[in-house]
Amino acid sequence: MPNITANPVHLGLGATAVVEPQFTGMAWYDAYTERHASDGIEGRLVSMYTFEKSWDVWEMHPHGSEVVLCTSGEMTLTQERDGKASSVLLRAGDYAINEPRTWHTVDVERSATAVFITAGVGTLHRPR
């Protein structure tokens, strides 16, 4: 039985759901884009991660919104758009939406877990 923490799910055209290979690091995202290129920008990646430390990168999804749903712990989501940054504290059950072309990053003081529903094609990263 797949586990969302190891094997994300791709939601594709025609209301399909595909179990993804085990997540292995940042290069995994490039392979994900290649696997689902035929879905274009309508595909969505559903993943769940537990963070023990703050992110060391900013991330941005140019082609669609991303839902960030905190399932345990607390995390501070910082969003930057047009040079303006704002932050929101998410606790279990809270969610936020990263609009397209919004740079975002996460800070945690302890452990936090979140589910991400992402328009993954074209995702960009930059150092923090």
Side-chain angles (χ1 to χ4, degrees):
M1 183 65 57
N3 185 297
I4 191 70
T5 60
N7 298 95
V9 175
H10 172 76
L11 302 178
L13 298 180
T16 60
V18 178
V19 176
E20 289 298 300
Q22 185 169 357
F23 180 77
T24 55
M26 298 308 278
W28 183 95
Y29 290 106
D30 292 331
Y32 167 79
T33 297
E34 291 175 21
R35 281 192 300 277
H36 301 291
S38 63
D39 286 344
I41 63 172
E42 296 304 319
R44 294 293 180 265
L45 176 63
V46 180
S47 57
M48 186 165 103
Y49 299 104
T50 298
F51 303 98
E52 303 293 332
K53 62 181 184 173
S54 298
W55 294 8
D56 60 1
V57 297
W58 288 86
E59 181 177 81
M60 188 261 286
H61 312 289
H63 302 296
S65 299
E66 174 182 55
V67 175
V68 179
L69 168 63
C70 183
T71 59
S72 70
E74 294 182 352
M75 56 195 295
T76 300
L77 173 68
T78 300
Q79 300 171 319
E80 179 188 279
R81 187 164 175 114
D82 301 326
K84 297 177 185 173
S86 62
S87 297
V88 61
L89 178 65
L90 301 176
R91 295 182 175 103
D94 295 339
Y95 70 91
I97 298 173
N98 293 318
E99 296 294 335
R101 297 172 300 285
T102 299
W103 287 99
H104 52 278
T105 192
V106 168
D107 288 303
V108 295
E109 290 186 23
R110 295 178 192 85
S111 177
T113 301
V115 171
F116 298 85
I117 305 170
T118 307
V121 173
T123 295
L124 300 173
H125 295 93
R126 71 177 194 208
R128 194 162 175 194

